[in-house]
Amino acid sequence: MKSFPGVGGSDGAGTVEELGEGVTSFQKGDRVLLQCLDYVPDRGTFQQYAIADAHRISKIPNNLSFDEAATVPLGLATAAVGLYAPKAPMGGAALTPPWVEGGKDKYKDQPALVTGGSSSVGQFAIQLLKLSGFNPIISTTSARNFDYVRAAGATHVVDYHTTPYASLRAAVEKITAAPIPVVYDAISSDDSQRASWDILAPNGAMVVTTGMRQPVVGKPGEDAEDGKHLARVYGSVDAVKDVEFGNQLYASLTELLESGALKPNQVEILPNGLAGVPDAVARFGRGAISGAKLVARVGETP
Ligand SMILES: NC(=O)c1ccc[n+]([C@@H]2O[C@H](COP(=O)([O-])OP(=O)(O)OC[C@H]3O[C@@H](n4cnc5c(N)ncnc54)[C@H](OP(=O)(O)O)[C@@H]3O)[C@@H](O)[C@H]2O)c1
């Protein structure tokens, strides 16, 4: 929060009620999704009406509900910025995004690893890597989420309960003998970071989601002596200096969702709208959320 009172809520979906001056790409009544900026009072999504920049909203295609659409922005931005944004202390791995010319399938048949494939960020990272052509895509998850993670595009799933991170390298080597040029460590626990860094090939890139927390391997935004690059991501396209990065993603998003190239997270609706959020946060703290994004319908708040 930069100022108080602040309004929380990063992601949202709803109907355009009013257009700012000069906005021609949307109409009143359009169904749109958005990621708020900076949690300032008129932007946060934990309220009935929020203001959004026209370049940072996308129309929701008919095949998605508001609930599903609201699961997309932060998870997708964290995955996309980590993989495709330029290298920087808070940046990405600088791969070519699949939504720009020449990006789709550019990394055909190169292997990739994603820890936490059933997390919101992880399942978007898998989907993006698939669009980029990576194959095989190996991911860690609980056995109960194997099908969900495969549906996102993982070709191989490893149960991190029966294969701890200390044994992950051996498990990956059984799947492929090829060097792994990209690892997206969506979980970024100390043990997943160490295992991911060890598995990453020289000159490869690894993304961590530690936010302001210092990673336990590598130096954010820098190459190690063996050329391994550590990308520490901030989950907003507005954290990327080049505004075109976010503009292009948001301009492509409706089509990516409509075609099914990108799928939203599984959804769990909270009871009582925003009044259900404190319990949800407590569940999150206990690690009791699995393979789903929790959605509060603001209008159902008592
Ligand atoms: N830097 C940023 O800007 C930024 C932005 C967004 C998120 N994040 C961070 O990124 C991480 C992921 O966020 P999220 O919202 O995507 O999380 P989430 O959806 O809440 O993650 C829940 C999932 O994590 C999985 N999980 C937990 N421990 C695991 C482990 N050791 N190995 C593999 N999977 C594990 C669980 O899988 P199973 O149920 O299958 O066991 C569960 O499905 C979090 O640490 C979050 O703080 C950072």
Side-chain angles (χ1 to χ4, degrees), residues 120-144:
S120 175
V121 173
Q123 78 103 25
F124 280 117
I126 292 172
Q127 295 189 69
L128 292 174
L129 287 164
K130 185 178 173 191
L131 287 173
S132 289
F134 285 89
N135 179 57
I137 300 172
I138 304 162
S139 186
T140 60
T141 179
S142 289
R144 64 174 170 267

Side-chain angles (χ1 to χ4, degrees), residues 74 78 115-122 140-142 144-145 160-161 165 186-187 189 209-211 233-235 284 289-293:
L74 174 67
T78 311
T115 69
S118 67
S119 68
S120 175
V121 173
T140 60
T141 179
S142 289
R144 64 174 170 267
N145 287 318
Y160 66 93
H161 298 288
Y165 281 97
I187 296 305
S189 59
T209 57
T210 53
V233 64
Y234 185 77
F284 180 76
I289 297 164
S290 176
K293 191 96 169 180

Side-chain angles (χ1 to χ4, degrees), residues 96-98 100 102-110 128-134:
T96 305
V100 304
K104 178 100 171 42
D105 290 327
K106 176 169 180 185
Y107 304 94
K108 198 167 165 41
D109 294 337
Q110 296 187 35
L128 292 174
L129 287 164
K130 185 178 173 191
L131 287 173
S132 289
F134 285 89

Side-chain angles (χ1 to χ4, degrees), residues 29-118:
D30 279 347
R31 302 165 74 242
V32 295
L33 59 80
L34 70 143
Q35 182 170 4
C36 84
L37 299 173
D38 295 335
Y39 305 99
V40 293
D42 56 6
R43 301 254 164 176
T45 54
F46 284 180
Q47 57 189 337
Q48 195 77 22
Y49 298 94
I51 295 176
D53 183 332
H55 288 105
R56 292 291 174 273
I57 61 177
S58 278
K59 286 182 194 165
I60 303 171
N62 289 336
N63 54 326
L64 255 68
S65 65
F66 282 130
D67 299 325
E68 289 174 318
T71 70
V72 173
L74 174 67
L76 176 62
T78 311
V81 171
L83 290 170
Y84 305 117
K87 295 179 177 176
M90 275 283 188
L95 301 177
T96 305
W99 53 85
V100 304
E101 206 180 327
K104 178 100 171 42
D105 290 327
K106 176 169 180 185
Y107 304 94
K108 198 167 165 41
D109 294 337
Q110 296 187 35
L113 170 68
V114 177
T115 69
S118 67

